[in-house]
Coordinates of all heavy atoms in Angstrom, one line a residue:
M172 N -12.2 -14.2 7.6 CA -11.7 -13.2 6.8 C -11.7 -13.7 5.2 O -11.3 -14.8 5.0 CB -10.2 -12.9 7.2 CG -9.5 -11.8 6.4 SD -7.8 -11.5 6.8 CE -7.9 -11.2 8.5
D173 N -12.0 -12.7 4.4 CA -12.1 -13.0 3.0 C -10.7 -13.4 2.5 O -9.7 -12.9 2.9 CB -12.7 -11.7 2.3 CG -12.7 -11.9 0.8 OD1 -11.7 -11.7 0.2 OD2 -13.8 -12.2 0.3
N174 N -10.7 -14.4 1.5 CA -9.4 -14.8 1.0 C -8.6 -13.8 0.4 O -7.4 -13.6 0.5 CB -9.6 -16.0 0.0 CG -9.9 -17.3 0.7 OD1 -9.7 -17.5 1.9 ND2 -10.6 -18.2 0.0
E175 N -9.3 -12.8 -0.3 CA -8.6 -11.8 -1.0 C -8.1 -10.8 -0.1 O -6.9 -10.3 -0.2 CB -9.6 -11.1 -2.0 CG -8.9 -10.1 -3.0 CD -9.8 -9.6 -4.1 OE1 -11.0 -9.8 -4.0 OE2 -9.2 -8.8 -5.0
V176 N -8.9 -10.5 1.1 CA -8.3 -9.6 2.1 C -7.1 -10.2 2.8 O -6.1 -9.5 3.0 CB -9.5 -9.3 3.1 CG1 -8.9 -8.6 4.4 CG2 -10.5 -8.6 2.5
A177 N -7.2 -11.5 3.1 CA -6.0 -12.2 3.7 C -4.8 -12.2 2.8 O -3.6 -12.0 3.4 CB -6.4 -13.6 4.1
K178 N -5.0 -12.3 1.5 CA -3.9 -12.3 0.6 C -3.2 -10.9 0.6 O -2.1 -10.7 0.6 CB -4.4 -12.6 -0.8 CG -3.4 -12.6 -2.0 CD -4.0 -13.0 -3.2 CE -3.2 -12.7 -4.4 NZ -3.8 -13.0 -5.6
F179 N -4.0 -9.8 0.6 CA -3.5 -8.5 0.6 C -2.7 -8.3 1.9 O -1.6 -7.7 1.8 CB -4.6 -7.4 0.6 CG -5.2 -7.2 -0.8 CD1 -6.7 -7.1 -1.2 CD2 -4.4 -6.9 -1.9 CE1 -7.2 -7.0 -2.3 CE2 -4.9 -6.8 -3.2 CZ -6.3 -6.7 -3.4
I180 N -3.2 -8.8 3.0 CA -2.6 -8.5 4.3 C -1.3 -9.3 4.3 O -0.3 -8.8 4.8 CB -3.6 -8.9 5.5 CG1 -4.6 -7.8 5.5 CG2 -2.8 -9.0 6.8 CD1 -5.7 -8.2 6.5
R181 N -1.3 -10.5 3.9 CA -0.1 -11.3 3.8 C 1.1 -10.6 3.0 O 2.2 -10.6 3.4 CB -0.3 -12.7 3.4 CG -0.8 -13.8 4.3 CD -0.7 -15.2 3.8 NE -1.3 -15.4 2.5 CZ -2.5 -15.5 2.2 NH1 -3.4 -15.5 3.1 NH2 -2.9 -15.8 1.0
K182 N 0.6 -10.2 1.9 CA 1.6 -9.5 0.9 C 2.1 -8.3 1.6 O 3.3 -7.9 1.5 CB 1.0 -9.2 -0.4 CG 0.8 -10.5 -1.2 CD 0.3 -10.1 -2.6 CE 0.3 -11.4 -3.5 NZ -0.2 -11.1 -4.9
A183 N 1.2 -7.5 2.3 CA 1.6 -6.3 3.0 C 2.7 -6.5 4.1 O 3.6 -5.8 4.2 CB 0.4 -5.5 3.5
E184 N 2.4 -7.6 4.8 CA 3.3 -8.0 5.8 C 4.7 -8.4 5.3 O 5.7 -8.0 5.8 CB 2.7 -9.2 6.7 CG 1.6 -8.7 7.5 CD 0.8 -9.9 8.2 OE1 0.9 -11.0 7.8 OE2 0.1 -9.6 9.2
S185 N 4.6 -9.1 4.1 CA 6.0 -9.4 3.5 C 6.7 -8.2 3.1 O 7.9 -8.1 3.2 CB 5.7 -10.3 2.3 OG 5.2 -11.5 2.7
D186 N 6.0 -7.2 2.5 CA 6.6 -5.9 2.1 C 7.3 -5.2 3.4 O 8.3 -4.7 3.3 CB 5.7 -5.0 1.4 CG 5.4 -5.4 0.0 OD1 6.4 -5.8 -0.8 OD2 4.3 -5.5 -0.5
K187 N 6.5 -5.2 4.5 CA 7.0 -4.7 5.7 C 8.3 -5.3 6.2 O 9.3 -4.6 6.6 CB 6.0 -4.7 6.8 CG 6.4 -4.1 8.1 CD 5.3 -4.2 9.1 CE 5.6 -3.6 10.4 NZ 6.4 -4.5 11.2
I188 N 8.3 -6.6 6.1 CA 9.5 -7.4 6.5 C 10.7 -7.1 5.7 O 11.8 -6.8 6.1 CB 9.2 -8.9 6.5 CG1 8.3 -9.2 7.7 CG2 10.5 -9.7 6.6 CD1 7.7 -10.6 7.6
V189 N 10.5 -6.9 4.3 CA 11.6 -6.5 3.4 C 12.0 -5.1 3.7 O 13.3 -5.0 3.8 CB 11.0 -6.6 2.0 CG1 12.1 -6.0 1.0 CG2 10.7 -8.1 1.5
C190 N 11.2 -4.2 4.0 CA 11.6 -2.8 4.4 C 12.5 -2.9 5.6 O 13.6 -2.3 5.7 CB 10.4 -2.0 4.7 SG 9.5 -1.5 3.2
E191 N 12.0 -3.6 6.7 CA 12.8 -3.7 7.9 C 14.2 -4.4 7.7 O 15.2 -3.9 8.2 CB 12.0 -4.4 9.0 CG 10.8 -3.7 9.4 CD 9.8 -4.5 10.3 OE1 9.8 -5.7 10.3 OE2 9.0 -3.9 10.9
Q192 N 14.2 -5.5 7.0 CA 15.4 -6.1 6.7 C 16.4 -5.4 5.9 O 17.6 -5.3 6.2 CB 15.1 -7.5 6.0 CG 14.5 -8.5 7.0 CD 14.2 -9.8 6.4 OE1 14.1 -9.9 5.0 NE2 13.8 -10.8 7.1
L193 N 15.9 -4.7 4.9 CA 16.9 -3.9 4.0 C 17.4 -2.7 4.9 O 18.6 -2.4 4.8 CB 16.2 -3.3 2.8 CG 15.9 -4.2 1.7 CD1 15.0 -3.6 0.6 CD2 17.2 -4.7 1.1
D194 N 16.5 -2.1 5.6 CA 17.1 -0.9 6.6 C 18.1 -1.5 7.6 O 19.0 -0.8 7.9 CB 15.8 -0.4 7.3 CG 16.2 0.9 8.0 OD1 16.9 1.8 7.4 OD2 15.9 1.0 9.2
A195 N 17.8 -2.7 8.1 CA 18.8 -3.2 9.1 C 20.1 -3.7 8.6 O 21.1 -3.5 9.3 CB 18.0 -4.4 9.9
V196 N 20.1 -4.3 7.4 CA 21.3 -4.9 7.0 C 22.2 -4.2 5.9 O 23.3 -4.5 5.6 CB 21.1 -6.3 6.5 CG1 20.4 -7.2 7.5 CG2 20.3 -6.3 5.2
T197 N 21.6 -3.1 5.4 CA 22.3 -2.4 4.4 C 23.1 -1.2 4.9 O 22.5 -0.3 5.5 CB 21.2 -2.0 3.3 OG1 20.5 -3.0 2.9 CG2 21.9 -1.3 2.1
A198 N 24.3 -1.3 4.7 CA 25.2 -0.2 5.2 C 24.8 1.1 4.4 O 24.6 2.2 5.0 CB 26.7 -0.6 4.9
K199 N 24.7 1.0 3.1 CA 24.4 2.1 2.2 C 22.8 1.9 2.1 O 22.4 1.0 1.3 CB 25.1 2.2 0.9 CG 24.7 3.4 0.1 CD 25.4 3.3 -1.2 CE 24.9 4.4 -2.1 NZ 25.4 4.3 -3.5
K200 N 22.0 2.7 2.7 CA 20.6 2.6 2.7 C 20.1 2.6 1.2 O 20.4 3.4 0.4 CB 19.9 3.6 3.4 CG 20.3 3.6 4.9 CD 19.9 2.3 5.6 CE 20.3 2.3 7.1 NZ 20.4 1.1 7.7
Q201 N 19.3 1.5 0.9 CA 18.7 1.4 -0.4 C 17.3 2.1 -0.4 O 16.3 1.5 -0.4 CB 18.6 0.0 -0.8 CG 19.9 -0.7 -0.9 CD 20.8 -0.3 -2.0 OE1 20.3 0.1 -3.1 NE2 22.0 -0.1 -1.7
C202 N 17.4 3.4 -0.4 CA 16.1 4.2 -0.1 C 15.0 3.9 -1.1 O 13.9 3.7 -0.8 CB 16.4 5.7 0.0 SG 17.4 6.2 1.4
A203 N 15.4 3.8 -2.4 CA 14.5 3.7 -3.4 C 13.7 2.3 -3.3 O 12.5 2.2 -3.5 CB 15.0 3.8 -4.8
V204 N 14.5 1.3 -3.0 CA 13.9 -0.1 -2.8 C 13.1 -0.1 -1.5 O 12.0 -0.7 -1.6 CB 15.1 -1.1 -2.8 CG1 14.5 -2.5 -2.5 CG2 15.9 -1.1 -4.0
I205 N 13.5 0.5 -0.5 CA 12.7 0.5 0.7 C 11.4 1.2 0.5 O 10.4 0.8 0.9 CB 13.6 1.1 1.9 CG1 14.8 0.1 2.2 CG2 12.7 1.4 3.2 CD1 15.7 0.8 3.2
C206 N 11.5 2.4 -0.1 CA 10.3 3.2 -0.4 C 9.3 2.4 -1.3 O 8.1 2.5 -1.1 CB 10.6 4.5 -1.0 SG 11.4 5.6 0.2
Y207 N 9.9 1.7 -2.3 CA 9.0 0.8 -3.2 C 8.3 -0.1 -2.4 O 7.1 -0.3 -2.5 CB 9.9 0.1 -4.2 CG 9.1 -0.9 -4.9 CD1 8.3 -0.6 -6.0 CD2 9.3 -2.3 -4.6 CE1 7.5 -1.6 -6.6 CE2 8.6 -3.3 -5.2 CZ 7.7 -2.9 -6.2 OH 7.0 -3.9 -6.9
H208 N 8.9 -0.8 -1.5 CA 8.2 -1.8 -0.7 C 7.2 -1.2 0.3 O 6.2 -1.8 0.7 CB 9.2 -2.8 0.0 CG 9.8 -3.8 -1.0 ND1 9.2 -4.9 -1.4 CD2 11.0 -3.8 -1.6 CE1 9.8 -5.6 -2.2 NE2 11.0 -5.0 -2.4
A209 N 7.7 -0.1 0.8 CA 6.7 0.7 1.7 C 5.4 1.1 0.9 O 4.3 1.0 1.4 CB 7.4 2.0 2.3
Q210 N 5.6 1.6 -0.3 CA 4.4 1.9 -1.1 C 3.6 0.8 -1.4 O 2.4 0.8 -1.3 CB 5.0 2.5 -2.5 CG 3.9 3.0 -3.4 CD 3.2 1.9 -4.2 OE1 3.7 0.9 -4.5 NE2 1.9 2.1 -4.6
Q211 N 4.3 -0.4 -1.7 CA 3.5 -1.7 -1.9 C 2.7 -2.0 -0.6 O 1.5 -2.4 -0.8 CB 4.4 -2.8 -2.3 CG 5.1 -2.6 -3.7 CD 3.9 -2.8 -4.8 OE1 3.4 -3.9 -5.0 NE2 3.6 -1.7 -5.5
M212 N 3.3 -1.9 0.5 CA 2.7 -2.3 1.7 C 1.4 -1.4 2.0 O 0.3 -1.9 2.3 CB 3.6 -2.1 2.9 CG 3.0 -2.4 4.3 SD 4.2 -2.0 5.6 CE 4.5 -0.3 5.4
V213 N 1.5 -0.2 1.8 CA 0.5 0.8 2.0 C -0.7 0.5 1.0 O -1.8 0.4 1.4 CB 0.9 2.2 1.9 CG1 -0.3 3.3 1.8 CG2 1.8 2.6 3.1
E214 N -0.3 0.3 -0.2 CA -1.3 0.0 -1.3 C -2.1 -1.3 -0.9 O -3.3 -1.2 -1.0 CB -0.5 -0.2 -2.5 CG -1.4 -0.7 -3.7 CD -0.6 -1.1 -4.9 OE1 0.5 -0.4 -5.2 OE2 -0.9 -2.0 -5.6
K215 N -1.4 -2.3 -0.4 CA -2.2 -3.5 -0.2 C -3.0 -3.5 1.1 O -4.1 -4.0 1.2 CB -1.2 -4.7 0.0 CG -0.5 -5.1 -1.3 CD 0.6 -6.0 -1.2 CE 1.3 -6.2 -2.6 NZ 2.6 -5.8 -2.7
I216 N -2.6 -2.6 2.0 CA -3.4 -2.5 3.3 C -4.7 -1.7 2.9 O -5.8 -2.0 3.4 CB -2.6 -1.7 4.4 CG1 -1.6 -2.6 4.9 CG2 -3.5 -1.2 5.5 CD1 -2.1 -3.9 5.7
I217 N -4.5 -0.6 2.0 CA -5.7 0.1 1.6 C -6.7 -0.8 0.8 O -7.9 -0.8 1.0 CB -5.3 1.3 0.8 CG1 -4.6 2.3 1.7 CG2 -6.6 2.1 0.3 CD1 -3.9 3.5 1.0
K218 N -6.1 -1.7 0.0 CA -7.0 -2.5 -0.8 C -7.7 -3.5 0.1 O -8.8 -3.9 -0.1 CB -6.2 -3.3 -1.9 CG -5.7 -2.4 -3.0 CD -4.8 -3.1 -4.0 CE -4.5 -2.1 -5.3 NZ -3.7 -2.8 -6.2
A219 N -7.0 -4.0 1.2 CA -7.6 -5.0 2.2 C -8.9 -4.2 2.8 O -9.9 -4.8 3.1 CB -6.6 -5.4 3.2
L220 N -8.6 -2.9 3.3 CA -9.6 -2.1 3.8 C -10.8 -2.0 2.8 O -12.0 -2.1 3.2 CB -9.2 -0.8 4.2 CG -8.3 -0.7 5.4 CD1 -7.6 0.7 5.5 CD2 -9.0 -1.0 6.7
L221 N -10.5 -1.7 1.7 CA -11.5 -1.5 0.6 C -12.4 -2.7 0.5 O -13.6 -2.7 0.4 CB -10.9 -1.1 -0.8 CG -10.7 0.3 -1.1 CD1 -9.9 0.5 -2.4 CD2 -12.1 1.0 -1.1
K222 N -11.8 -3.9 0.3 CA -12.3 -5.2 0.2 C -13.2 -5.5 1.4 O -14.3 -6.1 1.3 CB -11.4 -6.2 -0.2 CG -11.9 -7.5 -0.7 CD -12.6 -7.3 -2.0 CE -13.2 -8.5 -2.6 NZ -14.0 -8.3 -3.9
T223 N -12.7 -5.2 2.6 CA -13.5 -5.4 3.9 C -14.7 -4.6 3.9 O -15.9 -5.0 4.2 CB -12.5 -5.1 5.0 OG1 -11.4 -6.0 5.0 CG2 -13.3 -5.4 6.4
A224 N -14.6 -3.3 3.5 CA -15.7 -2.4 3.5 C -16.7 -2.6 2.4 O -17.9 -2.4 2.6 CB -15.2 -1.0 3.4
H225 N -16.2 -3.1 1.3 CA -17.1 -3.4 0.1 C -16.8 -4.7 -0.5 O -16.1 -4.8 -1.5 CB -16.8 -2.3 -1.0 CG -17.0 -0.9 -0.5 ND1 -18.2 -0.3 -0.2 CD2 -16.1 0.2 -0.3 CE1 -18.1 0.9 0.1 NE2 -16.8 1.2 0.2
P226 N -17.3 -5.7 0.2 CA -16.9 -7.1 -0.2 C -17.1 -7.4 -1.7 O -16.5 -8.3 -2.3 CB -17.8 -8.0 0.6 CG -18.2 -7.1 1.8 CD -18.2 -5.8 1.3
N227 N -18.2 -6.8 -2.3 CA -18.5 -7.1 -3.7 C -17.8 -6.2 -4.7 O -17.9 -6.4 -5.9 CB -20.0 -7.0 -3.9 CG -20.7 -8.1 -3.0 OD1 -20.3 -9.2 -2.9 ND2 -21.9 -7.7 -2.5
M228 N -16.9 -5.4 -4.1 CA -16.3 -4.4 -5.0 C -15.1 -5.1 -5.8 O -14.3 -5.8 -5.1 CB -15.7 -3.2 -4.3 CG -14.9 -2.2 -5.1 SD -14.1 -1.0 -4.0 CE -15.1 0.4 -4.4
A229 N -15.0 -4.8 -7.0 CA -13.8 -5.3 -7.8 C -12.8 -4.4 -7.5 O -12.8 -3.1 -7.8 CB -14.1 -5.5 -9.3
I230 N -11.6 -4.7 -6.8 CA -10.5 -3.8 -6.6 C -9.7 -3.5 -7.9 O -9.2 -4.5 -8.5 CB -9.6 -4.4 -5.5 CG1 -10.4 -4.7 -4.2 CG2 -8.5 -3.4 -5.2 CD1 -11.1 -3.6 -3.6
Q231 N -9.6 -2.3 -8.3 CA -8.9 -1.9 -9.4 C -7.4 -2.2 -9.3 O -6.9 -2.0 -8.2 CB -9.1 -0.4 -9.9 CG -10.5 -0.2 -10.2 CD -10.5 1.3 -10.7 OE1 -10.0 2.2 -10.2 NE2 -11.4 1.5 -11.8
R232 N -6.8 -2.6 -10.4 CA -5.3 -2.7 -10.4 C -4.7 -1.4 -10.6 O -4.7 -1.0 -11.7 CB -5.0 -3.7 -11.5 CG -5.5 -5.2 -11.2 CD -4.8 -6.1 -12.2 NE -3.4 -6.1 -12.0 CZ -2.6 -7.0 -11.9 NH1 -3.0 -8.3 -12.3 NH2 -1.3 -6.9 -11.7
T233 N -4.3 -0.8 -9.5 CA -3.6 0.5 -9.6 C -2.6 0.6 -8.5 O -2.8 -0.2 -7.4 CB -4.7 1.6 -9.5 OG1 -3.9 2.9 -9.6 CG2 -5.4 1.5 -8.2
H234 N -1.6 1.4 -8.7 CA -0.7 1.7 -7.6 C -0.8 3.1 -7.0 O 0.0 3.6 -6.3 CB 0.8 1.6 -8.2 CG 1.1 0.1 -8.8 ND1 1.1 -0.9 -8.0 CD2 1.3 -0.2 -10.0 CE1 1.4 -2.0 -8.8 NE2 1.5 -1.6 -10.0
D235 N -1.9 3.7 -7.5 CA -2.1 5.2 -7.1 C -2.8 5.2 -5.7 O -3.9 5.0 -5.6 CB -3.0 5.8 -8.1 CG -3.2 7.3 -7.9 OD1 -3.0 7.8 -6.7 OD2 -3.5 8.0 -8.9
I236 N -2.0 5.5 -4.7 CA -2.5 5.4 -3.3 C -3.5 6.5 -3.2 O -4.5 6.2 -2.4 CB -1.3 5.5 -2.3 CG1 -0.5 4.3 -2.3 CG2 -1.8 5.8 -0.9 CD1 0.8 4.3 -1.6
G237 N -3.4 7.7 -3.7 CA -4.3 8.7 -3.6 C -5.7 8.3 -4.1 O -6.8 8.5 -3.5
F238 N -5.7 7.7 -5.3 CA -6.9 7.1 -5.8 C -7.6 6.1 -4.9 O -8.8 6.1 -4.6 CB -6.7 6.5 -7.2 CG -7.9 5.8 -7.7 CD1 -8.9 6.5 -8.4 CD2 -7.9 4.4 -7.7 CE1 -9.9 5.9 -8.9 CE2 -9.1 3.8 -8.2 CZ -10.1 4.4 -8.8
L239 N -6.7 5.3 -4.4 CA -7.3 4.2 -3.4 C -7.9 4.9 -2.1 O -8.9 4.5 -1.6 CB -6.2 3.2 -3.1 CG -5.8 2.3 -4.2 CD1 -4.6 1.6 -3.9 CD2 -6.9 1.4 -4.6
L240 N -7.2 5.9 -1.7 CA -7.7 6.7 -0.5 C -9.0 7.2 -0.8 O -9.9 7.3 0.1 CB -6.7 7.6 0.1 CG -5.5 7.0 0.8 CD1 -4.4 8.2 1.0 CD2 -5.9 6.4 2.0
E241 N -9.2 7.9 -2.0 CA -10.5 8.4 -2.5 C -11.6 7.4 -2.4 O -12.7 7.7 -2.0 CB -10.3 9.0 -3.8 CG -9.5 10.3 -3.9 CD -9.2 10.9 -5.2 OE1 -9.7 10.2 -6.2 OE2 -8.4 11.8 -5.3
Q242 N -11.2 6.1 -2.8 CA -12.2 5.1 -2.8 C -12.7 4.7 -1.4 O -13.8 4.3 -1.2 CB -11.7 3.8 -3.5 CG -11.3 4.1 -5.0 CD -12.4 4.5 -5.8 OE1 -13.3 3.7 -5.9 NE2 -12.3 5.7 -6.4
I243 N -11.7 4.9 -0.3 CA -12.1 4.4 1.0 C -12.7 5.6 1.8 O -13.2 5.4 2.9 CB -10.8 3.9 1.7 CG1 -11.2 3.0 2.8 CG2 -9.9 4.9 2.1 CD1 -11.7 1.6 2.5
A244 N -12.7 6.8 1.1 CA -13.2 7.9 1.9 C -14.6 7.8 2.4 O -15.0 8.5 3.4 CB -13.0 9.2 1.1
D245 N -15.5 6.9 1.8 CA -16.8 6.8 2.2 C -16.9 6.0 3.5 O -18.0 5.9 4.2 CB -17.7 6.2 1.1 CG -17.3 4.8 0.8 OD1 -16.1 4.5 0.8 OD2 -18.3 4.0 0.5
V246 N -15.9 5.4 3.8 CA -15.8 4.4 5.0 C -15.0 5.1 6.2 O -15.5 4.9 7.4 CB -15.1 3.1 4.7 CG1 -15.1 2.1 5.8 CG2 -15.9 2.4 3.5
C247 N -14.0 5.9 5.9 CA -13.3 6.5 7.0 C -12.8 7.8 6.5 O -12.7 8.1 5.4 CB -12.1 5.6 7.4 SG -10.9 5.2 6.2
D248 N -12.5 8.7 7.4 CA -11.9 10.0 7.2 C -10.5 9.9 6.7 O -9.7 9.2 7.3 CB -12.0 10.9 8.4 CG -13.5 11.3 8.8 OD1 -14.2 11.4 8.0 OD2 -13.6 11.4 10.0
V249 N -10.1 10.5 5.7 CA -8.9 10.5 5.1 C -8.3 12.0 5.2 O -8.8 12.8 4.4 CB -8.8 10.0 3.6 CG1 -7.5 10.1 3.1 CG2 -9.4 8.7 3.5
P250 N -7.4 12.3 6.1 CA -7.0 13.7 6.3 C -6.2 14.2 5.0 O -5.6 13.4 4.3 CB -5.9 13.5 7.4 CG -6.2 12.3 8.1 CD -6.8 11.3 7.1
D251 N -6.4 15.4 4.8 CA -5.7 16.1 3.6 C -4.2 15.8 3.7 O -3.6 15.6 2.6 CB -5.9 17.6 3.6 CG -7.4 17.9 3.3 OD1 -8.1 17.1 2.7 OD2 -7.9 19.0 3.6
E252 N -3.6 15.8 4.9 CA -2.2 15.5 4.9 C -1.8 14.2 4.4 O -0.8 14.0 3.8 CB -1.8 15.7 6.4 CG -0.3 15.6 6.7 CD 0.1 15.7 8.2 OE1 -0.7 15.6 9.0 OE2 1.2 16.0 8.3
M253 N -2.7 13.2 4.6 CA -2.5 11.8 4.2 C -2.5 11.8 2.6 O -1.7 11.0 2.1 CB -3.4 10.9 4.7 CG -3.1 9.4 4.5 SD -4.3 8.3 5.2 CE -3.7 8.4 6.9
M254 N -3.3 12.6 2.0 CA -3.4 12.7 0.6 C -2.1 13.2 0.1 O -1.6 12.6 -1.0 CB -4.5 13.5 0.1 CG -5.9 12.9 0.5 SD -6.2 11.3 -0.2 CE -6.4 11.6 -2.0
G255 N -1.4 14.1 0.7 CA -0.2 14.7 0.2 C 0.9 13.5 0.3 O 1.8 13.3 -0.6
W256 N 0.9 12.8 1.4 CA 1.8 11.6 1.6 C 1.6 10.6 0.5 O 2.6 10.0 0.0 CB 1.7 11.0 3.0 CG 2.1 11.9 4.1 CD1 2.9 13.0 4.1 CD2 1.7 11.8 5.4 NE1 3.0 13.5 5.4 CE2 2.2 12.8 6.2 CE3 0.7 11.0 6.1 CZ2 2.0 13.0 7.6 CZ3 0.5 11.1 7.5 CH2 1.2 12.1 8.2
A257 N 0.3 10.3 0.2 CA 0.0 9.3 -0.8 C 0.6 9.7 -2.1 O 1.1 8.8 -2.8 CB -1.4 9.2 -1.0
E258 N 0.6 11.0 -2.5 CA 1.1 11.4 -3.8 C 2.6 11.1 -3.8 O 3.2 10.6 -4.8 CB 0.8 12.9 -4.0 CG 1.2 13.4 -5.4 CD 1.0 14.9 -5.6 OE1 -0.1 15.3 -5.1 OE2 1.8 15.6 -6.1
K259 N 3.3 11.5 -2.7 CA 4.8 11.3 -2.7 C 5.1 9.8 -2.7 O 6.1 9.4 -3.5 CB 5.3 12.0 -1.4 CG 5.3 13.4 -1.4 CD 5.8 14.0 -0.1 CE 5.6 15.5 -0.1 NZ 5.9 16.1 1.2
L260 N 4.4 9.0 -1.9 CA 4.8 7.5 -1.9 C 4.4 6.9 -3.2 O 5.1 6.0 -3.6 CB 3.9 6.9 -0.7 CG 4.4 5.6 -0.3 CD1 5.8 5.5 0.1 CD2 3.5 5.1 1.0
T261 N 3.3 7.4 -3.9 CA 3.0 6.6 -5.2 C 4.2 6.9 -6.2 O 4.3 6.0 -7.1 CB 1.7 7.3 -5.7 OG1 0.6 7.0 -4.7 CG2 1.3 6.7 -7.1
T262 N 5.0 7.8 -6.0 CA 6.2 8.0 -7.0 C 7.0 6.9 -6.9 O 7.9 6.7 -7.8 CB 6.9 9.4 -6.8 OG1 7.5 9.3 -5.4 CG2 5.9 10.5 -6.8
Y263 N 7.0 6.1 -5.8 CA 7.9 4.9 -5.7 C 7.3 3.6 -6.2 O 7.6 2.5 -5.8 CB 8.3 4.8 -4.3 CG 9.2 5.9 -3.8 CD1 8.8 7.0 -3.1 CD2 10.6 5.8 -4.1 CE1 9.7 8.0 -2.8 CE2 11.5 6.8 -3.7 CZ 11.0 7.9 -3.0 OH 11.8 8.9 -2.7
E264 N 6.2 3.7 -7.0 CA 5.5 2.4 -7.4 C 6.4 1.6 -8.2 O 6.1 0.4 -8.4 CB 4.3 2.8 -8.2 CG 4.6 3.4 -9.6 CD 3.3 3.7 -10.3 OE1 2.7 2.8 -11.0 OE2 2.8 4.9 -10.2
S265 N 7.5 2.1 -8.6 CA 8.5 1.2 -9.3 C 9.8 1.8 -9.1 O 10.0 3.0 -8.7 CB 8.3 1.2 -10.8 OG 8.4 2.5 -11.5
Y266 N 10.8 1.0 -9.2 CA 12.2 1.6 -9.0 C 13.2 1.0 -9.9 O 12.9 0.2 -10.7 CB 12.7 1.2 -7.5 CG 12.9 -0.2 -7.2 CD1 14.2 -0.7 -7.3 CD2 11.9 -1.1 -6.7 CE1 14.4 -2.1 -7.1 CE2 12.0 -2.3 -6.5 CZ 13.4 -2.9 -6.5 OH 13.6 -4.2 -6.3

C-alpha cells in the first residue's frame, strides 16, 4: 500500500474512533464536533480511493466532499443521493 494511502486510512480510522468515543461518553451530544470528525473521515477515505485509483495524481487540498466524489466518478459510480449527503457533510469542515 502506498504510504500516502496508508496515511489517509490511518487518519480516517482516528477520526472514526473520535466520533465513536465522543458519542459514547458525552451526555450532551457534541453534534458539531462529531460531524466534523465524520466529515474528516469521509474526506480521507475518498482521498485514499483517489490515490489508489490514480497513483500519480496530486490530491488537492480540499474539504469539499462533493468535489472529491466528482474526481472519483471515473472509477466508481457515485449515486446522486450521495452527492446530496456530501454537500450536507461538507458544511461541517470546521466547527
Side-chain angles (χ1 to χ4, degrees):
M172 181 183 304
D173 178 272
N174 284 340
E175 192 171 6
V176 171
K178 181 179 164 186
F179 282 132
I180 291 172
R181 276 194 312 275
K182 287 184 174 186
E184 288 172 343
S185 293
D186 284 314
K187 179 180 181 282
I188 289 167
V189 169
C190 287
E191 292 170 343
Q192 289 177 342
L193 283 172
D194 185 52
V196 301
T197 308
K199 181 181 175 191
K200 300 299 181 200
Q201 300 295 318
C202 291
V204 179
I205 292 169
C206 288
Y207 166 77
H208 285 283
Q210 185 279 335
Q211 290 290 295
M212 176 185 64
V213 170
E214 175 187 324
K215 290 170 184 120
I216 291 297
I217 297 170
K218 287 179 178 180
L220 286 169
L221 273 170
K222 196 62 178 175
T223 299
H225 303 288
N227 297 323
M228 176 187 252
I230 304 298
Q231 288 189 326
R232 293 192 61 142
T233 182
H234 299 295
D235 187 335
I236 293 172
F238 173 79
L239 293 169
L240 287 173
E241 289 170 2
Q242 300 298 302
I243 200 75
D245 67 323
V246 178
C247 61
D248 292 328
V249 178
D251 291 337
E252 185 178 20
M253 191 176 286
M254 293 302 287
W256 294 335
E258 185 178 322
K259 290 176 186 172
L260 196 52
T261 296
T262 64
Y263 291 98
E264 69 181 277
S265 63
Y266 66 94

